[in-house]
Amino acid sequence: MPTPETSGLLAEQLLRLTRRLQRAQKRHMEPLGITPAQSRLLRTVAHGDQPLRMADLAQRLEVVPRAVTTLVDALEAHGSVRRIADPSNRRVVRVELTDTGRSTLRALREARRAAAEDILAPLSDQQRDALGALLDTLSGAPDHRC
């Protein structure tokens, strides 16, 4: 039976690992000129079936609308997104990915993979599979491994 001390230690280890992974991702993303928050917004825009409203982005990212405005401003200056008018309501602004944004997303995916590899390098393939299965269990995700 797990003790409260064991559970507390595991929680602390997970938090340390998460912070380490975030630092590694930030380090790999820095040359791209994109912050982690901007990266998250780009991924959210990319997963929409149509250009998303600013309010929808705020809701999906669980931030205040002003934060989305700041992120979109920066990504628009970067050339990764553009604001477009909603065809049915001129007062509504939508955000869509540009070709530069799609290229940036590909580079960001590679930066995330490189950061993960930095962290996972000491593990064998078998250990990585075991860790993946454990993380799937903890996150409630279905097992997608073959």
Side-chain angles (χ1 to χ4, degrees):
M1 179 84 176
T3 66
E5 293 81 24
T6 303
S7 296
L9 177 60
L10 286 171
E12 185 58 35
Q13 288 173 309
L14 286 169
L15 288 171
R16 276 198 316 267
L17 181 60
T18 299
R19 286 191 296 267
R20 189 170 165 220
L21 182 57
Q22 287 171 335
R23 283 192 306 272
Q25 285 182 346
K26 188 175 181 183
R27 193 173 51 252
H28 282 275
M29 288 180 352
E30 205 167 18
L32 301 174
I34 300 290
T35 67
Q38 292 167 351
S39 169
R40 208 169 147 232
L41 186 133
L42 274 178
R43 288 192 316 271
T44 303
V45 169
H47 285 87
D49 359 339
Q50 63 177 354
L52 295 169
R53 296 178 315 137
M54 299 280 278
D56 296 332
L57 285 168
Q59 183 179 19
R60 290 183 187 192
L61 295 171
E62 298 178 349
V63 297
V64 296
R66 178 71 193 127
V68 169
T69 301
T70 302
L71 291 170
V72 170
D73 287 347
L75 287 170
E76 198 168 37
H78 184 267
S80 294
V81 300
R82 70 177 144 252
R83 289 175 168 94
I84 58 171
D86 184 295
S88 61
N89 184 345
R90 292 185 337 199
R91 293 176 294 170
V92 173
V93 174
R94 293 185 177 269
V95 179
E96 71 179 1
L97 216 52
T98 63
D99 289 340
T100 298
R102 282 184 270 288
S103 295
T104 300
L105 271 174
R106 285 190 293 277
L108 287 167
R109 274 193 290 277
E110 185 51 43
R112 281 195 311 276
R113 275 194 289 274
E117 187 53 41
D118 285 354
I119 304 298
L120 299 172
L123 300 180
S124 69
D125 288 346
Q126 186 177 11
Q127 289 172 318
R128 288 177 187 215
D129 287 344
L131 177 61
L134 290 168
L135 292 173
D136 281 346
T137 299
L138 292 175
S139 66
D143 188 7
H144 59 277
R145 289 172 177 67
C146 299

